Amino acid sequence: MTTIGHTAGAQAPEIATDVTFNVRRYGATGDGKTVDTPAINRAIDAVAAAGGGLLFFPAGTYLSFTIHLRSNVDLHLSQGCTILAADSPKPGESTGYNGGAYDAAEANAPWDAFEDYGHSHWNNSLFVGVDIANFSILGPGLIHGKGLSRGSAPGQVAPGYSSFVAEQAGVGNKAIALKNCRHVTLRDVSILKGGHFAVLATGVDNLTLDNLRIDTDRDGLDIDCCRNVRISNCTVNSPWDDGICPKSSYALGYARATENVTISNCFVTGAYQLGSVIEGRWKKFPDGAAPHNGRIKCGTESNGGFRNITISNCVIEGSKGIALETADGAIVEDIAISNITMREITDAPLFLRLNRRNRGPKDSMRAGSLRRVLISNIVSSDSAGSTASVFSGIPGNVIEDVQLSGCYFQHRGLGHPKDPSKPLLDWRTRQVPELEEEYPDPNRFGQTPSHGFFLRHLKQIAMSHVEIAPLNNDPRPAFWLEDVQRADFFAITAPPQPNFALRNVSDFRILWSRAAKDTTLQQVLNQTL
């Protein structure tokens, strides 16, 4: 391989005659002890000054604080290369490893009042790119966020790691943070323990995330206020937080939608011990040792909205399910979810939530909407039985136009050894709280009075060829409908018992189903079929 560059200490970069540069030519040691930050940044600047090209990292461990990405510069982390995040300053100290520190978090007032600290700052990260274009980080090397803070969320610090305070000066908080960038590719790289976010992309257009392996103790991929995004072939293990998470916060100082996003051919889980996925050991947690979060979720930050999103051909295991959430006035529309297998989901396999937490500037708040959602070819097995899939708007603001087809939902049922929830004393009188202004999460509703779907404040819901299959007997109906207008059920299968609890439902039809006899009702206040 031809490498063009200049040695450490030279006054100016050479004129490039090739597109490949070697970081070692700029003084980087890769010995795992020397802080290589100055040499790495010097090399990146040289590549940019030469008009762009590829900066090659040979095998080695490059200990570093903040690395500044530049336009037209591709980084190639070779096999055997590790970019190791140096230890941040410990609580009460001003410097970290060898007197170093990460870049200071930039000011972002007043917008930082409307989202968590980690969403509002980018500079305090291992890799930072702000207002740049046409760059990439390519594998197959490893980014290890050992010295980064995982944020303020509670959780056990993994053995061999230290706890750092994200808000403290000099502390690194994210593995890769991008803001207002264009034409970005992250491919083939592995990220171990990526801080609060392994990847935080805010206001990034034309973003490709492909074949990434992420094994972390907070969020995996957070795609915030981004357009034209392709997430494919990625593996994300994130037991303590979300795996793949489109968001639309107010961090940019205005509401910007996340739109034109495809998530395909990915494996998302929260079941495996930190590091075991990267190592290929795939060691699961003992029962009760981790919250098994994981999941694919649009939200919770939802000021700008989500449009034109597809989630397809994904495997989800040992985590929460798929969630679409609008809590902060967002418009969520034109969503397609298809060809998904789920196993051991810890709460609701599907969660659609429209409420009004309204975390944002008061003068920007509006009533949100959630509409035009198509879900097909879902297989969910061995999920928790206490909480049904929840589709819930709020009084006066309903979810609209949702269709499900070709889906199978198997859950443990009440009393299963893995899910020992006690049966409700009387599911008929169970009042599920509205929680109009709360953080949207299915667990906050508590045990639902149905074991398949809890549907509330909806208009135009249709299901066809859907089966609800509890492993244990469950006395609750498979479906609970409350304040629902126009509901069509065709070829529905559930155990032979009363399966449809109807509360203030209009224009209701069941046809050709094993779950109930053919029925058409124009208006019903309180009836169970």
Side-chain angles (χ1 to χ4, degrees), residues 358-373:
N358 288 353
R359 191 164 74 165
K362 290 184 178 180
D363 59 0
S364 73
M365 284 297 101
R366 59 187 177 184
S369 64
L370 176 50
R371 60 199 180 203
R372 300 196 296 273
V373 179

Side-chain angles (χ1 to χ4, degrees), residues 137-141 185-191 208-214 221 230-236 264-267 278:
I137 302 176
L138 310 173
T185 299
L186 307 179
R187 177 175 285 129
D188 298 335
V189 175
S190 297
I191 302 177
T208 297
L209 307 173
D210 181 55
N211 197 36
L212 304 178
R213 287 186 300 169
I214 297 174
L221 305 174
R230 306 291 172 261
I231 303 172
S232 59
N233 309 312
C234 294
T235 297
V236 183
S264 61
N265 306 332
C266 292
F267 176 52
I278 291 289

Side-chain angles (χ1 to χ4, degrees), residues 383-397:
S383 66
S386 59
T387 304
S389 288
V390 175
F391 298 177
S392 181
I394 57 176
N397 197 9

Side-chain angles (χ1 to χ4, degrees), residues 142-283:
L142 172 68
I143 297 170
H144 185 183
K146 179 177 181 294
L148 302 176
S149 166
R150 65 186 299 278
S152 57
Q156 182 179 359
V157 177
Y161 292 93
S162 300
S163 179
F164 304 106
V165 179
E167 295 82 358
Q168 182 177 326
V171 171
N173 184 230
K174 292 161 279 285
I176 301 173
L178 310 173
K179 178 185 178 185
N180 291 334
C181 298
R182 303 184 313 281
H183 312 308
V184 181
T185 299
L186 307 179
R187 177 175 285 129
D188 298 335
V189 175
S190 297
I191 302 177
L192 172 62
K193 200 179 189 300
H196 193 162
F197 307 102
V199 177
L200 174 64
T202 310
V204 177
D205 292 347
N206 301 333
L207 172 63
T208 297
L209 307 173
D210 181 55
N211 197 36
L212 304 178
R213 287 186 300 169
I214 297 174
D215 196 350
T216 191
D217 56 357
R218 283 299 302 275
D219 276 21
L221 305 174
D222 271 38
I223 310 303
D224 191 7
C225 305
C226 296
R227 296 183 299 206
N228 306 331
V229 180
R230 306 291 172 261
I231 303 172
S232 59
N233 309 312
C234 294
T235 297
V236 183
N237 179 48
S238 56
W240 285 274
D241 220 320
D242 298 316
I244 300 175
C245 195
K247 295 181 176 179
S248 60
S249 74
Y250 217 85
L252 295 173
Y254 64 98
R256 189 179 200 258
T258 288
E259 56 188 339
N260 307 333
V261 177
T262 63
I263 302 170
S264 61
N265 306 332
C266 292
F267 176 52
V268 177
T269 181
Y272 295 92
Q273 295 184 26
L274 181 66
S276 70
V277 172
I278 291 289
E279 295 171 0
R281 295 184 295 113
W282 297 92
K283 185 176 182 180

Side-chain angles (χ1 to χ4, degrees), residues 353 355 394 433-438 441 444-445 456:
R353 179 59 167 155
N355 67 325
I394 57 176
E434 292 283 357
L435 305 177
E436 293 186 35
E437 302 178 7
E438 298 290 325
D441 189 89
R444 300 198 176 199
F445 288 110
R456 182 168 63 182

Side-chain angles (χ1 to χ4, degrees), residues 8 43 94 119 129 140 155 220 256 367 453 456 463 483 518 529:
S94 59
H119 293 87
R256 189 179 200 258
F453 282 84
R456 182 168 63 182
M463 296 191 190
D483 183 25
D518 288 2
L529 306 174

